[in-house]
Amino acid sequence: SQQGEEDPQALSIQEGENATMNCSYKTSINNLQWYRQNSGRGLVHLILIRSNEREKHSGRLRVTLDTSKKSSSLLITASRAADTASYFCATDASYNTDKLIFGTGTRLQVFP
Amino acid sequence: SQTIHQWPATLVQPVGSPLSLECTVEGTSNPNLYWYRQAAGRGLQLLFYSIGIDQISSEVPQNLSASRPQDRQFILSSKKLLLSDSGFYLCAWSWLDPGANVLTFGAGSRLTVL
């Protein structure tokens, strides 16, 4: 079953704008991760945030986690055409960190 | 450094034919290994994961099976493919960021069942 649901399903913006994607999940987690997938390729890990963290930064990426609402957001600042990809959140479960369940993904299109 | 190889990259198979997708990891030992399937334009569905040889967990009832004949080899199989088995199959291994499994994915295998 799907653990995470991302919204929006698709997002189109201009270069230089910020892009925000949201992820909601159902069960208690230890960690939440964000991955990126270019069309027809494997996924690439972007950032991990632990359940006891509220915010994390990596370059132009900012991730927040609200465990009370079971939700996370990924912000990409000053977007570039090369950021065009699908973005997925992935969660483990508090009782099983070996099992990672991915959300439905957000397709981001950045126009030059 | 660690690398993951997945093959074949593309496969077109008739309904009812068998399937074998192979995944190998180099440069690490005793990795967790995963098989996911992605339908066109959709999210990833976890099919199988393995935390060691002879330790494979199946997540979705289906006509697929997985085996781990060696520590760093993970094989996805089917005896008789269905049309619904079409999709993009992704193998991954995980490295431990303490308390978390971070996945590194292969390039994927695109299966079309006709």
Side-chain angles (χ1 to χ4, degrees):
Chain A
S1 63
Q2 213 76 39
Q3 162 75 314
E5 298 279 340
E6 279 97 331
D7 88 276
Q9 290 188 347
L11 180 61
S12 294
I13 59 175
Q14 296 291 130
E15 265 190 325
E17 294 180 338
N18 296 341
T20 300
M21 290 158 267
N22 303 297
C23 167
S24 60
Y25 56 92
K26 298 174 184 174
T27 64
S28 296
I29 62 171
N30 288 306
N31 308 284
L32 185 143
Q33 303 177 46
W34 284 90
Y35 288 78
R36 166 194 168 127
Q37 183 184 33
N38 286 357
S39 181
R41 307 291 295 274
L43 281 74
V44 175
H45 177 256
L46 295 175
I47 194 166
L48 176 150
I49 187 165
R50 302 181 191 278
S51 59
N52 61 353
E53 297 176 311
R54 291 298 167 257
E55 187 171 314
K56 203 160 182 182
H57 296 256
S58 176
R60 293 185 295 113
L61 304 180
R62 173 179 166 250
V63 170
T64 61
L65 179 64
D66 186 336
T67 53
S68 66
K69 295 181 179 178
K70 291 187 170 59
S71 68
S72 173
S73 66
L74 171 68
L75 169 67
I76 303 175
T77 60
S79 63
R80 306 165 181 168
D83 294 328
T84 295
S86 292
Y87 293 82
F88 296 87
C89 68
T91 53
D92 60 10
S94 59
Y95 57 88
N96 184 355
T97 59
D98 294 316
K99 178 177 167 179
L100 277 86
I101 302 295
F102 282 77
T104 51
T106 293
R107 292 186 305 278
L108 174 65
Q109 176 83 49
V110 182
F111 292 99
Chain B
S1 63
Q2 301 87 4
T3 56
I4 178 168
H5 303 281
Q6 187 179 341
W7 71 93
T10 306
L11 200 58
V12 179
Q13 292 286 100
V15 169
S17 64
L19 171 73
S20 181
L21 300 179
E22 191 164 339
C23 174
T24 59
V25 180
E26 297 177 356
T28 187
S29 60
N30 196 31
N32 283 8
L33 296 171
Y34 300 79
W35 278 111
Y36 288 88
R37 178 170 61 198
Q38 186 177 32
R42 305 290 297 277
L44 277 72
Q45 179 185 38
L46 178 61
L47 300 176
F48 301 93
Y49 70 99
S50 171
I51 62 173
I53 290 180
D54 297 327
Q55 293 180 284
I56 299 173
S57 298
S58 173
E59 291 300 304
V60 181
Q62 61 221 332
N63 68 325
L64 299 172
S65 62
S67 61
R68 188 168 176 171
Q70 300 179 43
D71 178 46
R72 292 169 291 171
Q73 185 183 27
F74 205 25
I75 296 173
L76 183 69
S77 303
S78 174
K79 292 182 180 178
K80 287 186 178 182
L81 285 168
L82 306 172
L83 286 173
S84 58
D85 291 324
S86 292
F88 191 48
Y89 288 81
L90 290 156
C91 178
W93 71 277
S94 73
W95 49 274
L96 280 175
D97 191 325
N101 283 280
V102 177
L103 301 187
T104 298
F105 282 84
S109 298
R110 187 165 302 283
L111 171 66
T112 303
V113 183
L114 302 175

